[in-house]
Amino acid sequence: MLQRVVTQPDNYEPFLLSQGIRFGDLLFISGQAGAGDDGKIVDGGFLAQGEQAFHNLRRALEAGGSSLKDVIKVTIFVTDMGHFKDVVALRRRHFSAPYPADTIAEIKALYDPAAMIEIEAIAAVRAQEGR
């Protein structure tokens, strides 16, 4: 059975998207960009957006019963591969060994012209007593 993951605020609702979908012991999280609670991309450049994107990812994972340590696969979209070293630094800060499988791709644009990074993930959902 599919179970919708909802966070507050839910900036995805107007676009007919789910923050995430839980299916059994797997959690599929939609792309999380560097948008604050107001839905606007945060100021401060690539690293500020990256930190916010990871914050949003963590919130969505936790709403679905998972965490950053349970991420199996992550896909990171950037609008400029010149930020590759920054992506590695963000991964180092937010993930730990064994690191998740990863795809990093440069794309022409994201949903907002100001957005420079978006992160989607697949994670395991573990039994509550194991957390």
Side-chain angles (χ1 to χ4, degrees):
M1 179 166 89
L2 300 180
Q3 179 183 0
R4 183 173 180 222
V5 173
V6 179
T7 64
Q8 294 302 324
D10 184 356
N11 297 322
Y12 290 63
E13 181 68 29
F15 305 105
L16 308 177
L17 301 172
S18 295
Q19 283 273 7
I21 295 289
R22 181 174 171 178
F23 181 74
D25 292 334
L26 291 176
L27 184 60
F28 300 83
I29 300 297
S30 291
Q32 303 292 313
D37 288 350
D38 61 1
K40 295 180 182 173
I41 299 298
V42 298
D43 293 329
F46 185 85
L47 283 174
Q49 286 190 31
E51 288 294 342
Q52 184 66 46
F54 269 98
H55 168 78
N56 295 341
L57 177 62
R58 180 182 307 110
R59 179 170 48 195
L61 288 163
E62 290 174 356
S66 191
S67 70
L68 286 171
K69 70 180 179 180
D70 297 314
V71 172
I72 298 166
K73 169 72 169 83
V74 65
T75 304
I76 302 174
F77 301 100
V78 296
T79 56
D80 181 353
M81 197 57 83
H83 292 290
F84 182 78
K85 288 182 180 178
D86 294 329
V87 171
V88 173
L90 288 164
R91 284 180 45 82
R92 183 176 290 114
R93 179 176 165 94
H94 294 282
F95 292 128
S96 58
Y99 295 99
D102 191 339
T103 299
I104 300 174
E106 180 179 289
I107 60 172
K108 183 176 178 180
L110 292 163
Y111 74 100
D112 182 315
M116 296 185 276
I117 184 171
E118 187 170 316
I119 308 166
E120 66 179 27
I122 301 170
V125 177
R126 299 189 190 267
Q128 290 300 324
E129 62 272 6
R131 300 191 72 88

